[in-house]
Amino acid sequence: MTTTLKIAVCLFSDVANLDYGGPMELFSFLSPEGVNDGFIKSPIILQPTYLAESREPLRGSHVGPLITPDRAYGEVKGNEQFDIILIPGGARPDFVKPPVLEFLKRQVPGAKYVLAVCTGSWLLAQAGLLDGKRATTNKASFKIIQDATKGNNIQWVAKARWVVDGNLWTGSGVTAGIDMAHAFLKHLVGDETTNVIRGIVEVGVRDADDDEFAEFHNLI
């Protein structure tokens, strides 16, 4: 018997492509196609929905193809609730239009898990959803974000590849999202299935405290 968890992947103009693409590459092995073909054995199926301000194609940061969202944030109405919210970084919160922040305010409180990569945690802070939490973020932007959120009760952790506080997972810069996604999969489906996926993708992963970039950016 399998359980399907619905993932909302939050997109916006100038989103960092690898922030969501890295985790979703790992998560794709638990998609209905990945599990139903019998190659990956998992009691959990992950069903993603890519959301943006509208269904119009948008472009992520720097390079890459246009991304066509599945749905607009405003189409998620009533009692519909996603199980997992994935928030990538890229654009500064003051450059992100309100629909994504309003979506986060509606969905995050009822989600089973919330995953933020890079400056995605800044979006959560902007929406008032990190108050009283431990979190980390991109180390190149760490001091900027720390200063911008001084009025919030957030314990920003400088030396961490990722941080877990209850159902909230926050990752450091860009590639740290892959490390965090790997650890999240171990939490969700166990070591054996996660190791099979890691072997297929051939990804080397770091532990939560294996963070060289805090020192690199003079944060410690």
Side-chain angles (χ1 to χ4, degrees):
M1 184 175 178
T2 59
T3 299
T4 298
L5 298 179
K6 299 187 297 180
I7 304 182
V9 184
C10 299
L11 301 177
F12 42 83
S13 294
D14 294 326
V15 64
N17 297 316
L18 192 57
D19 281 9
Y20 72 90
M24 289 309 298
E25 181 65 29
L26 296 180
F27 296 165
S28 69
F29 288 90
L30 299 187
S31 68
E33 296 78 11
V35 172
N36 290 338
D37 68 8
F39 186 67
I40 297 293
K41 293 180 171 56
S42 170
I44 302 291
I45 289 177
L46 300 180
Q47 181 69 62
T49 300
Y50 291 81
L51 297 117
E53 183 182 3
S54 74
R55 294 195 183 206
E56 292 299 312
L58 58 88
R59 194 179 300 280
S61 56
H62 308 306
V63 295
L66 288 171
I67 311 160
T68 303
D70 297 313
R71 298 172 65 188
Y73 293 118
E75 294 176 32
V76 181
K77 297 181 183 295
N79 295 325
E80 182 177 3
Q81 175 67 57
F82 287 92
D83 300 296
I84 302 171
I85 315 294
L86 174 61
I87 309 108
R92 289 171 56 104
D94 45 345
F95 295 159
V96 173
K97 295 183 179 178
V100 63
L101 297 178
E102 292 304 316
F103 173 81
L104 293 176
K105 290 176 184 178
R106 294 195 309 270
Q107 286 285 318
V108 164
K112 290 183 172 69
Y113 298 102
V114 179
L115 314 178
V117 180
C118 195
T119 55
S121 56
W122 196 359
L123 292 178
L124 285 174
Q126 183 84 348
L129 297 166
L130 283 189
D131 291 6
K133 300 290 187 180
R134 296 175 68 252
T136 195
T137 190
N138 184 295
K139 301 308 159 50
S141 302
F142 192 89
K143 290 181 179 177
I144 295 172
I145 295 172
Q146 193 174 43
D147 288 344
T149 58
K150 276 185 177 176
N152 305 74
N153 179 27
I154 304 170
Q155 184 182 342
W156 291 108
V157 182
K159 184 175 175 58
R161 196 68 175 153
W162 74 89
V163 169
V164 182
D165 188 338
N167 70 338
L168 172 69
W169 296 60
T170 53
S172 186
V174 191
T175 60
I178 298 173
D179 298 331
M180 183 181 74
H182 174 266
F184 178 70
L185 280 181
K186 289 176 69 174
H187 169 78
L188 202 62
V189 297
D191 290 353
E192 183 176 350
T193 297
T194 302
N195 203 45
V196 171
I197 294 170
R198 187 178 78 86
I200 297 170
V201 180
E202 297 190 16
V203 61
V205 292
R206 299 185 183 193
D207 291 332
D209 59 356
D210 185 7
D211 175 24
E212 65 185 281
F213 295 102
E215 185 174 0
F216 182 91
H217 290 287
N218 299 313
L219 300 175
I220 58 172

